[in-house]
Amino acid sequence: MSELYFLASGERLLGTDQGPVILSGPEMNKLNTVAVLKVGEVDSKHYFVALLSDEEPLKDILKSDLVGLRSLLALVQSEDEYCLLSTASQLVTWFYSFKYCPRCTAPLELHKDERAKVCHQCGHHQYPRISPCIIVLVRKGEQCLLAHAAKFASGRYSTLAGFIEAGESAEQAVHREIMEEVGIKVKNLRYCFSQSWPFPHSFMLGFMAEYDEGEITPDGIEILDADWFDPDKMPVLPPRFTIARRLINQFLEEIGREIEPDSDLFFPAE
């Protein structure tokens, strides 16, 4: 099997508007690396992410041409590509975020067999962090609830989402987040699908819910505006690679509406 390598400098995957930088095994022999982490296997090819040392120049790549992870994800053409990029990004974040043992503060080292770091002083194993979250589309007849968060670009609206807190079930988190962010109650929760979300290490559990009672009241901190939207009068929506867009697409299909061409490219709404 052939080996292919994503490149990372610091905590950033390297890529341009043409896609991520990927090198072959022989090309990697010329580079100085801090670590090489296994990402996954697709179509009989082994993928790794190579973390370049600080002294390694970005050969043949202009820093001004580099783009962020969201831009790279927007270019992917399959679910396999998305998962490879998501995994590579999260592994890079994990590698640099956990340098020392959280129990005894001794330096952590990569485990020789597992995807983990190990403390040789106290024996603690540190695995890549995964933060579970819920994301939910609320329906009210043939309308859906979409919100504009403080962190969003101007005009963009999306579904509601939040982290699952200690001791909560995913369903409890759905009810709590919706009440906290927009002040309404929901019912008839239905789990739909999930998505690994590398910003920086979230795992999104997607739900549909039906409106029960209450008036929409944005919290004014995380959510600046929220409203019920008709399928024919949608605002600017999340990009196609997001689970939020997948939930919106499923809603539209369930009420018999067509989705935009290519908006459901590789994550089918069913």
Side-chain angles (χ1 to χ4, degrees):
M1 292 185 179
S2 60
E3 296 182 351
L4 295 172
Y5 296 79
F6 296 101
L7 296 184
S9 181
E11 296 187 36
R12 181 180 189 178
L13 279 183
L14 300 182
T16 69
D17 58 9
Q18 301 300 308
V21 178
I22 301 178
L23 300 184
S24 64
E27 292 173 308
M28 281 302 305
N29 293 332
K30 306 174 184 178
L31 300 179
N32 297 315
T33 60
V34 174
V36 176
L37 308 175
K38 185 175 181 179
V39 174
E41 180 184 331
V42 173
D43 296 332
S44 298
K45 296 176 182 177
H46 287 300
Y47 286 85
F48 301 83
V49 57
L51 286 60
L52 300 180
S53 66
D54 293 337
E55 294 78 20
E56 185 64 43
L58 302 178
K59 298 174 182 177
D60 302 322
I61 305 174
L62 297 176
K63 288 189 176 181
S64 59
D65 290 337
L66 295 176
V67 300
L69 181 58
R70 290 178 187 272
S71 296
L72 293 178
L73 291 173
L75 297 172
V76 301
Q77 296 297 311
S78 72
E79 186 168 0
D80 284 339
E81 289 183 35
Y82 175 90
C83 291
L84 287 172
L85 273 178
S86 176
T87 302
S89 175
Q90 291 184 64
L91 289 178
V92 173
T93 299
W94 164 70
F95 181 87
Y96 285 109
S97 297
F98 293 94
K99 296 181 179 180
Y100 302 98
C101 178
R103 289 183 177 175
C104 71
T105 72
L108 292 172
E109 297 181 13
L110 287 174
H111 195 287
K112 64 178 183 178
D113 298 317
E114 299 180 352
R115 181 180 281 171
K117 285 187 173 184
V118 62
C119 174
H120 293 295
Q121 180 165 292
C122 73
H124 174 70
H125 284 54
Q126 183 70 51
Y127 295 92
R129 176 181 290 180
I130 299 173
S131 302
C133 307
I134 56 87
I135 183 166
V136 55
L137 182 71
V138 182
R139 297 180 52 171
K140 184 180 180 183
E142 293 200 349
Q143 293 182 313
C144 65
L145 175 63
L146 299 175
H148 176 73
K151 62 183 179 181
F152 287 176
S154 177
R156 173 161 289 173
Y157 283 69
S158 185
T159 52
L160 298 175
F163 289 100
I164 299 174
E165 295 185 353
E168 278 188 325
S169 67
E171 291 79 6
Q172 289 171 328
V174 168
H175 288 288
R176 176 184 55 76
E177 284 287 346
I178 292 174
M179 176 57 67
E180 288 178 355
E181 293 189 348
V182 295
I184 65 171
K185 293 182 178 181
V186 295
K187 60 184 179 180
N188 299 333
L189 270 61
R190 171 165 53 100
Y191 172 76
C192 297
F193 28 65
S194 62
Q195 183 182 27
S196 177
W197 185 243
F199 298 98
H201 37 63
S202 298
F203 183 70
M204 312 296 293
L205 302 172
F207 287 85
M208 289 281 187
E210 295 179 11
Y211 168 77
D212 187 10
E213 62 180 52
E215 296 294 327
I216 295 175
T217 307
D219 65 8
I221 301 173
E222 292 188 39
I223 303 299
L224 303 184
D225 186 48
D227 206 347
W228 300 106
F229 286 89
D230 294 316
D232 298 323
K233 297 180 180 179
M234 289 290 202
V236 178
L237 297 176
R240 64 184 184 180
F241 62 84
T242 63
I243 189 173
R245 186 58 170 271
R246 189 177 173 193
L247 286 166
I248 294 168
N249 285 350
Q250 175 154 317
F251 159 73
L252 293 173
E253 291 186 342
E254 287 182 356
I255 63 173
R257 301 302 178 96
E258 293 186 359
I259 61 175
E260 294 182 9
D262 293 333
S263 72
D264 204 26
L265 183 61
F266 53 86
F267 286 126
E270 293 83 1

